[in-house]
Amino acid sequence: DFNTSLLYYGEGSGRVEDASFKSLVRRLFADDRTLSLGLTFDALTGATPSGAIRQDTAQTFTRPSGLAAYSVPAGELPLDDTFRDSRLALTAGWQQPAGEKGLVNVGLSASKEYDYLHTGINASYAHDFNKRNTTVSAGFALARDSIEPVGGAPLPLTAMLDVGDVSNRVGDQDKDVLDVVLGVSQVISRDLVVQANYSFSRSDGYLNNPYKVLSLVDGITGDTLPRVPGPEGGPSGQFLFEHRPDQRTQHSLYTQAKYHMNGKVLDASYRYMTDDWEIDSHTIDLRYRLPMGERSYLEPHLRYYSQSEAEFYRLSVDSSQALPVYASSDYRLGKFNAITAGLKYGWKTRNDNEMSIRVEWYVQSGSVPADQLIGNQVDRDNFPDLNALIVQFSYRFSH
């Protein structure tokens, strides 16, 4: 069984674009044993926010490599336009029955980016009972990730330096991730199936984003403190590299229900996540499959996501106060809401292979807590909206 897809993701205003190819091959052997092999390739380009705030004057920054500088016009959100990367990911999994009502899965995963290496193992066990109307499952995954930042990993909360000065950079960093999932699914009737999962995740090690900075600002005006660049070029203001805790523990509860209604299928799910960074999130996902004759269907999709900000999220660092222990202005750690809406059309070919095309629009809007805004920051767009287009084509066939 071959399942392949091509996906395009593009953010507005010249931000990140991703072209992705994914292929999953499954081989069925005797006694319901299955081997799965997966391959994913991503090519990413575009510009991503550096974490610095807007200013009424032009700003210059040292690039992550430390070997060049770039400028941002007055009034614009500072974006690092050197974002270029590719990712190759491989997965392998083996599934086989364990007794009459058990099912075992074991797997390996690995992925490589220019500055990132992931390796992992995973395993799970599922058991049916109650005339196979109830299934309980448990699984875990262990990952070891190595981070190799361009130019080296900056020391937390140290200043961005002039071009050619990497005295505050250190070597490669690592982190370990443990994920555990416990679940149960229940057949309620011929037309209704429900599921509930609890997930635990623990990350230890280097959790900073080595390319994100914060502006060090005047405690009254809220403007970035100026700085005179060196002869080779460098930052025009004072910027500090972010610092996050070196541990993170997350708990998630996921529930899902699928309901069949005369050929139509409603798929609804809800997920709640909380962690010790004080982020709480809620995700509601709805899909409704509508048959279009015997060989095709339409599937509208609506997803709503909301999260609170991390306890150490801040727009900038106030120079009139002592440096915080942890600080990050990464918008992905801030408070925001997001909606994804789209439509999928799928059909069967003459030889019963399956094809589909999905088009979706993503809209994200966020805000900065009012007590973090200083002076001139009040009148600026500190958390601009993000819009993105998603297009995916999939093809599945068997041999």
Side-chain angles (χ1 to χ4, degrees):
D1 182 72
F2 298 84
N3 197 337
T4 61
S5 68
L6 293 171
L7 181 141
Y8 168 80
Y9 168 89
E11 299 176 352
S13 303
R15 290 175 60 169
V16 175
E17 290 186 319
D18 176 27
S20 175
F21 169 80
K22 185 174 184 178
S23 179
L24 178 65
V25 181
R26 287 190 292 261
R27 175 70 165 86
L28 180 63
F29 297 90
D31 301 324
D32 293 327
R33 294 173 297 160
T34 304
L35 173 66
S36 300
L37 300 174
L39 180 148
T40 301
F41 179 78
D42 290 289
L44 299 101
T45 59
T48 184
S50 68
I53 63 173
R54 299 174 189 264
Q55 290 288 272
D56 297 330
T57 57
Q59 302 183 81
T60 60
F61 301 86
T62 300
R63 294 198 183 278
S65 66
L67 302 178
Y70 67 98
S71 299
V72 175
E76 291 194 7
L77 180 70
L79 300 174
D80 179 8
D81 61 1
T82 61
F83 185 60
R84 304 283 188 277
D85 208 347
S86 59
R87 181 177 73 102
L88 178 65
L90 302 173
T91 60
W94 178 260
Q95 175 181 289
Q96 70 175 46
E100 294 183 357
K101 296 182 179 180
L103 191 65
V104 173
N105 281 276
V106 293
L108 302 171
S109 62
S111 67
K112 182 69 175 74
E113 303 171 39
Y114 181 77
D115 58 356
Y116 201 96
L117 173 65
H118 158 85
T119 55
I121 61 173
N122 60 83
S124 66
Y125 175 75
H127 189 82
D128 296 331
F129 61 96
N130 187 24
K131 298 181 180 180
R132 296 191 180 274
N133 289 321
T134 305
T135 302
V136 294
S137 60
F140 77 92
L142 286 172
R144 175 78 174 191
D145 296 347
S146 298
I147 303 96
E148 306 168 4
V150 176
L155 294 172
L157 297 178
T158 60
M160 177 183 287
L161 302 177
D162 286 326
V163 172
D165 187 349
V166 292
S167 58
N168 63 344
R169 306 291 183 96
V170 294
D172 300 343
Q173 304 292 313
D174 298 304
K175 70 175 179 180
D176 298 308
V177 182
L178 167 66
D179 293 305
V180 178
V181 180
L182 305 175
V184 59
S185 62
Q186 176 67 47
V187 177
I188 304 298
S189 68
R190 293 181 58 185
D191 298 318
L192 177 62
V193 178
V194 297
Q195 175 185 350
N197 288 344
Y198 163 75
S199 301
F200 169 87
S201 181
R202 174 64 179 259
S203 301
D204 292 275
Y206 185 79
L207 305 183
N208 296 337
N209 186 322
Y211 308 125
K212 298 296 184 183
V213 298
L214 299 99
S215 298
L216 186 64
V217 302
D218 183 280
I220 298 176
T221 67
D223 291 330
T224 304
L225 294 179
R227 178 185 182 277
V228 178
E232 301 298 325
S236 59
Q238 298 187 38
F239 308 106
L240 306 179
F241 290 101
E242 70 161 38
H243 187 204
R244 307 181 188 187
D246 58 6
Q247 293 182 343
R248 185 181 187 184
T249 301
Q250 298 170 281
H251 303 273
S252 301
L253 181 63
Y254 174 83
T255 60
Q256 181 184 32
K258 290 187 177 183
Y259 185 50
H260 180 267
M261 301 168 288
N262 298 321
K264 307 177 185 68
V265 178
L266 174 64
D267 185 345
S269 66
Y270 167 75
R271 179 179 181 267
Y272 171 71
M273 189 282 296
T274 186
D275 67 13
D276 56 359
W277 288 5
E278 301 299 327
I279 296 178
D280 296 317
S281 70
H282 305 268
T283 307
I284 299 173
D285 198 292
L286 299 171
R287 301 174 190 269
Y288 188 53
R289 180 169 293 201
L290 298 163
M292 305 289 290
E294 296 182 355
R295 304 185 68 84
S296 62
Y297 65 88
L298 282 175
E299 186 177 88
H301 175 220
L302 181 65
R303 178 182 183 271
Y304 172 77
Y305 177 82
S306 175
Q307 78 169 38
S308 59
E309 72 272 7
E311 61 178 344
F312 54 86
Y313 171 81
R314 57 184 64 214
L315 179 65
S316 59
V317 175
D318 187 343
S319 63
S320 65
Q321 300 180 4
L323 280 180
V325 177
Y326 303 112
S328 174
S329 60
D330 190 335
Y331 72 94
R332 291 167 294 188
L333 298 177
K335 179 181 180 180
F336 68 87
N337 302 318
I339 293 177
T340 305
L343 186 66
K344 178 180 178 180
Y345 175 67
W347 68 97
K348 285 189 176 182
T349 64
R350 293 180 179 179
N351 52 3
D352 285 335
N353 295 328
E354 298 180 15
M355 304 179 75
S356 66
I357 184 167
R358 174 172 66 100
V359 179
E360 296 184 331
W361 185 249
Y362 174 83
V363 179
Q364 175 185 296
S365 59
S367 61
V368 177
D371 60 1
Q372 291 192 18
L373 300 178
I374 305 171
N376 298 325
Q377 296 175 4
V378 175
D379 300 321
R380 296 178 182 139
D381 184 5
N382 300 297
F383 205 129
D385 292 348
L386 172 65
N387 301 316
L389 174 67
I390 304 167
V391 181
Q392 184 180 35
F393 173 77
S394 300
Y395 179 48
R396 180 176 179 177
F397 61 97
S398 300
H399 178 69

